Amino acid sequence: MKRNPASAGLSGEIAVPGDKSISHRAVIFASLAEGTSRISGFLDAEDCLRTVEVFRAMGLQIDRDGRDLTVHGKGADGLKEPEVPLYFGNSGTTARLMSGVLAGLPLFTTAYGDESLSVRPMDRVVQPLRQMGAVIEGREQGKKLPLAFSGTGLSGITYEMPVKSAQVKSAILLAGLFAEGVTTVIEAAKTRNHTETMLPEFGVEVTNDFGAISVRGGQKMKASNVDIPGDISSAAFFIVAAAVVPGSDVTIRRVGVNETRNGIIQALKKMGADINVEITDRIGEEPVADVTVKSSELEGITVEGELIANLIDEVPVLALAATQAAGTTVIKDAGELKVKETDRIQAVCDNLSLMGADITPTEDGMIIKGGTALRGAEVSSKGDHRIGMMEAVASLIAEGETTIHRPEAINISYPDFFSDLEHLLYNR
Ligand code: S3P
């Protein structure tokens, strides 16, 4: 049997790539603005590059030098009707946010996605956009991609969101910029707030009245420079790895720890993880920190309610941590996981069960009885980046060899994941 390379623990420092949510928004806002915007620390991974390609297809010049982008914005009026269908790939954020933009532009556009995105719900944005007057056609009456947008005049609405989704909130606010009057989105539980905190940097006035977020239509956007912090959703894999692999001591530099995104740290601390967060900087409204994690004795907890939106993308790796905690962890109120890149409730439970975990799916989450030793197995990312990376972390504590099928899924958000992991394992 091969010795697990992680038996000596993970150690050293790392900086994870730029935040995915902020990267998408930076490109979209800069592309709608007038003037030249510079974006540094951009996430040069498949999902965010889709957003760049969408604007290039509408005639915009965007120069990329690795993780530095220069967007030569001409304002929304400068965007041209694309001659080909727009391709959103695997990217839910591109699909939902761009739907808000395309609904308001005076152009005819069509858009489609890959196999996974084509079965994900689009009615959550199409329905409120139609309330604003948008003309959108699509498969299953617009519930799914492909969609066609005949840009037309929109009117502002007040929309109480039935789903906890920052993508829906952002799509409506973006459409609101093209609408007559004021558009207000009311969210019952706080979701990631990058749209409303970043729009003012591009000259847009946004008000937030206890969760009722409003924009006035017709505001001209002006260019801005954006520096993007490291993605806490990518850092989460190393945070959990360091917590569960004995003998580990890892520092992740320049991680964005926005209060609407740091639920994974809150949950792991509640489980007893040895995590130190040292705020080192503030980029715009985004606090940035060095996060140091040491191997920890974990205890099971219940994760539910408002915290869920704050760690929704981290549930797969949190579930892995729970397999190593004493006692039971219950994750509930997380039905949204079923409509991510895969059904993540099923994908997590299937894969961790194959590795020997005691984990049971429920309607809106999962129940994990901790303290089980994992064993190597043949698993698959099922084409989902976060499932693939969770499996790689699981393999570090598994006895025997693990084979991960479809590992290339990690390219969606973190192309250098395996080499960064090797760096922490072998300090190279
Ligand atoms: C995102 C919002 C979340 C998250 C996704 C990115 C965003 O999706 O899961 O990875 O950038 O707005 P929902 O809006 O569907 O919750």
Side-chain angles (χ1 to χ4, degrees):
M1 192 183 319
K2 279 190 191 163
R3 190 166 161 271
N4 198 314
S7 52
L10 282 80
S11 62
E13 293 182 10
I14 205 159
V16 290
D19 188 278
K20 182 157 84 70
S21 294
I22 300 176
S23 294
H24 281 296
R25 286 162 175 78
V27 172
I28 295 172
F29 301 170
S31 299
L32 297 175
E34 185 132 5
T36 302
S37 297
R38 293 202 167 72
I39 301 169
S40 55
F42 172 74
L43 175 60
D44 52 342
E46 269 181 37
D47 257 22
C48 297
L49 291 170
R50 296 289 173 214
T51 299
V52 170
E53 286 310 321
V54 161
F55 282 103
R56 283 183 177 155
M58 290 195 281
L60 197 69
Q61 188 189 335
I62 302 179
D63 304 325
R64 184 165 78 86
D65 180 6
R67 294 175 172 176
D68 292 325
L69 291 188
T70 306
V71 181
H72 302 273
K74 293 181 187 157
D77 299 343
L79 293 168
K80 294 200 186 78
E81 187 164 286
E83 287 163 9
V84 292
L86 300 172
Y87 184 52
F88 296 154
N90 190 249
S91 177
T93 308
T94 311
R96 271 67 175 260
L97 270 61
M98 285 310 299
S99 292
V101 173
L102 299 174
L105 290 175
L107 310 171
F108 176 75
T109 48
T110 58
Y112 68 111
D114 74 358
E115 215 181 306
S116 151
L117 191 59
S118 298
V119 295
R120 294 181 66 187
M122 292 300 293
D123 42 340
R124 53 183 56 199
V125 289
V126 168
Q127 193 251 333
L129 290 171
R130 282 181 177 156
Q131 272 183 42
M132 297 176 79
V135 178
I136 306 172
E137 295 294 329
R139 200 159 62 90
E140 294 179 22
Q141 289 84 48
K143 289 191 179 71
K144 308 256 170 76
L145 288 165
L147 293 175
F149 302 83
S150 306
T152 176
L154 303 179
S155 313
I157 56 166
T158 295
Y159 188 66
E160 219 165 305
M161 281 205 299
V163 283
K164 293 174 196 155
S165 164
Q167 292 178 352
V168 174
K169 170 175 62 179
S170 304
I172 299 166
L173 291 173
L174 281 164
L177 295 175
F178 302 99
E180 186 89 29
V182 174
T183 297
T184 302
V185 180
I186 300 172
E187 49 178 8
K190 230 177 178 185
T191 64
R192 64 193 67 196
N193 62 4
H194 310 297
T195 295
E196 54 271 36
T197 59
M198 207 166 147
L199 275 175
E201 293 172 35
F202 287 85
V204 175
E205 201 182 305
V206 181
T207 61
N208 189 344
D209 188 13
F210 299 101
I213 303 153
S214 305
V215 293
R216 197 175 14 85
Q219 299 187 56
K220 286 273 167 258
M221 295 179 68
K222 58 174 190 345
S224 181
N225 296 334
V226 184
D227 188 13
I228 298 174
D231 196 330
I232 191 167
S233 298
S234 298
F237 296 102
F238 301 127
I239 294 174
V240 168
V244 299
V245 176
S248 297
D249 185 347
V250 164
T251 296
I252 309 153
R253 300 247 180 246
R254 275 182 53 82
V255 183
V257 289
N258 179 315
E259 55 156 15
T260 61
R261 294 286 300 282
N262 64 11
I264 184 67
I265 293 178
Q266 294 180 46
L268 288 168
K269 277 190 169 171
K270 209 166 143 199
M271 293 172 84
D274 182 348
I275 304 180
N276 183 54
V277 177
E278 191 192 337
I279 306 280
T280 53
D281 200 0
R282 198 174 176 90
I283 310 180
E285 290 298 312
E286 304 288 342
V288 176
D290 290 345
V291 179
T292 301
V293 191
K294 296 183 182 148
S295 323
S296 313
E297 298 291 326
L298 301 178
E299 275 179 34
I301 58 167
T302 295
V303 186
E304 61 187 331
E306 295 222 348
L307 189 58
I308 291 293
N310 202 315
L311 51 64
I312 191 73
D313 291 341
E314 290 68 70
V315 171
V317 78
L318 180 64
L320 168 63
T323 68
Q324 303 308 299
T328 300
T329 295
V330 180
I331 298 173
K332 43 182 168 175
D333 303 324
E336 273 294 299
L337 291 171
K338 290 185 180 167
V339 291
K340 295 294 179 188
E341 286 82 332
T342 53
D343 174 344
R344 283 187 178 156
I345 294 180
Q346 207 56 52
V348 167
C349 293
D350 286 352
N351 279 300
L352 287 176
S353 295
L354 281 172
M355 298 182 82
D358 185 342
I359 180 166
T360 312
T362 63
E363 250 326 284
D364 67 346
M366 53 195 89
I367 299 169
I368 306 130
K369 294 202 176 112
T372 39
L374 299 186
R375 53 173 189 269
E378 255 191 62
V379 292
S380 170
S381 73
K382 301 184 192 235
D384 183 332
H385 53 135
R386 300 203 197 280
I387 299 297
M389 290 187 275
M390 179 277 283
E391 287 162 348
V393 177
S395 76
L396 302 176
I397 48 170
E399 186 79 35
E401 203 165 274
T402 298
T403 303
I404 303 172
H405 292 282
R406 302 178 67 187
E408 70 287 347
I410 60 147
N411 291 330
I412 291 295
S413 64
Y414 198 165
D416 293 335
F417 171 76
F418 286 112
S419 57
D420 282 357
L421 181 58
E422 284 189 351
H423 171 75
L424 294 176
L425 283 171
Y426 309 114
N427 290 307
R428 64 172 188 233

